[in-house]
Amino acid sequence: MTALAPVRVALLGCGVVGSQVARLLREQADDLAARVGAPLELVGVAVRRPQRRRDVDIDPALLTSDACALACLQDMYVVVQLIGGL
């Protein structure tokens, strides 16, 4: 059996909703992979202030302030826009 390539996911925003999406991607990885048919891989999170403390455990290497560059990565499959506010 050949393992399927991961579905690469980027999040734009990591506030109340974005942080919980990131948490669910990590904590429910096996269930999500079974539903999707391939593992989901969080490859980046665009935030306004990458150094700010977060309510969820995210690898600091995944944080960036450049949402456009993250969304435009050549091998990006899914970009989830979770930026709130006006």
Side-chain angles (χ1 to χ4, degrees):
M1 177 187 252
T2 304
L4 293 174
V7 174
R8 294 169 52 87
V9 178
L11 301 181
L12 305 183
C14 193
V16 173
V17 176
S19 63
Q20 294 309 303
V21 171
R23 181 185 63 79
L24 289 171
L25 285 171
R26 186 183 66 245
E27 291 179 2
Q28 297 190 14
D30 293 338
D31 183 48
L32 291 168
R35 291 172 184 238
V36 173
L40 299 177
E41 177 186 6
L42 181 60
V43 297
V45 181
V47 293
R48 188 178 307 150
R49 293 181 294 273
Q51 295 77 21
R52 184 176 173 186
R53 188 181 162 287
R54 308 275 163 211
D55 292 335
V56 66
D57 184 27
I58 295 178
D59 180 357
L62 295 179
L63 298 175
T64 180
S65 61
D66 193 344
C68 186
L70 180 60
C72 294
L73 288 175
Q74 186 172 14
D75 56 353
M76 187 60 54
Y77 295 121
V78 178
V79 177
V80 184
Q81 193 285 108
L82 300 162
I83 299 169
L86 298 174

